[in-house]
Amino acid sequence: MKLVGIDVSRWQGSINFKSVKAAGIDFVIIKAGGSDAGFYEDPMFKINYAGAKDAGLKVGAYYYVGSKFQGTESGIVDAKKFIRILGKRSFKYPVYVDVESTPQKEKSGTTDAVLSFCEYMEGKNYFTGIYGSDVSTFHDRVQAGRLINYTWWVAGYGKEPSHNYSVWQYTSSGSVNGISTRVDRDISKTDFNVIVTKHFNNN
């Protein structure tokens, strides 16, 4: 099974999600916020979430961390902030931590933070995954072998990722009806129905 999707943030501006759905898109992963420039919520998160749900799209979310995302305590702090932004909203796709901007020289500390982030999220009944690029994240920034228990959303432009992934972000310059800017395009190898049947992510 393959589903087609997009991921969006404030940079896509105002989105007509009904047109997006009519164009054949199955799912959307929405930026909720991050900690790379101080703690913040993406200003379009609530609007994008409401529009995507109203259009009947499957929705996931992601949280972007920065260079200070290091060690067990940091992971828990950011997980709590992510959950605060998500609120009581429900998601049929995973909720991800985006670690593409963590320092390459701190692979162990980043991996510790990712593990504690994911473990905390799971403890709160969220189906949690990890986002990053095929080489510069899963090879250069984390100890990938320690993260195999979580679903991966992997960016790889030009060729399919070498790592085991569930969602593949295959371009950052896609186009979709209903969005006036370029947009990331994704392919999912699973429908993640387990999230609904097992009542994860506030379902």
Side-chain angles (χ1 to χ4, degrees):
M1 170 180 290
K2 287 187 178 181
L3 301 178
V4 294
I6 57 174
D7 54 276
V8 301
S9 70
R10 63 180 295 183
W11 303 113
Q12 275 66 54
S14 179
I15 299 173
N16 184 329
F17 282 102
K18 290 186 178 179
S19 293
V20 170
K21 175 71 172 177
I25 299 299
D26 300 304
F27 68 93
V28 56
I29 304 173
I30 301 171
K31 184 175 183 180
S35 62
D36 54 304
F39 172 60
Y40 64 92
E41 177 180 323
D42 187 287
M44 292 298 291
F45 172 59
K46 291 184 177 71
I47 294 171
N48 284 339
Y49 174 86
K53 292 285 281 191
D54 184 59
L57 291 160
K58 293 187 175 187
V59 180
Y62 73 96
Y63 181 91
Y64 191 106
V65 299
S67 60
K68 295 181 180 179
F69 186 73
Q70 297 293 315
T72 300
E73 184 177 348
S74 176
I76 294 172
V77 168
D78 272 310
K80 289 179 177 179
K81 291 175 178 177
F82 190 21
I83 289 172
R84 192 184 314 162
I85 297 172
L86 298 179
K88 295 183 179 180
R89 297 174 184 85
S90 63
F91 300 87
K92 293 184 178 180
Y93 255 58
V95 294
Y96 296 91
V97 57
D98 179 340
V99 294
E100 63 187 309
S101 291
T102 54
Q104 293 187 20
K105 64 180 181 180
E106 301 291 349
K107 291 175 70 170
S108 178
T110 299
T111 306
D112 289 343
V114 171
L115 285 170
S116 63
F117 182 102
C118 292
E119 288 168 2
Y120 188 89
M121 296 292 293
E122 281 198 336
K124 298 299 181 180
N125 211 39
Y126 284 96
F127 192 101
T128 309
I130 304 152
Y131 168 84
S133 65
D134 186 27
V135 176
S136 67
T137 300
F138 286 100
H139 182 272
D140 295 344
R141 285 179 163 79
V142 297
Q143 297 167 328
R146 297 173 61 195
L147 304 175
I148 58 175
N149 290 332
Y150 299 97
T151 188
W152 292 4
W153 170 24
V154 181
Y157 306 155
K159 65 177 182 178
E160 188 171 357
S162 57
H163 291 88
N164 186 28
Y165 67 90
S166 295
V167 178
W168 171 21
Q169 183 189 84
Y170 63 91
T171 183
S172 61
S173 58
S175 60
V176 177
N177 288 346
I179 300 178
S180 61
T181 68
R182 294 297 183 185
V183 64
D184 298 338
R185 295 290 304 260
D186 305 274
I187 295 172
S188 177
K189 296 195 294 186
T190 175
D191 58 15
F192 289 107
N193 279 344
V194 65
I195 292 175
V196 175
T197 59
K198 297 293 186 180
H199 305 293
F200 296 117
N201 297 358
N202 295 324
N203 285 287

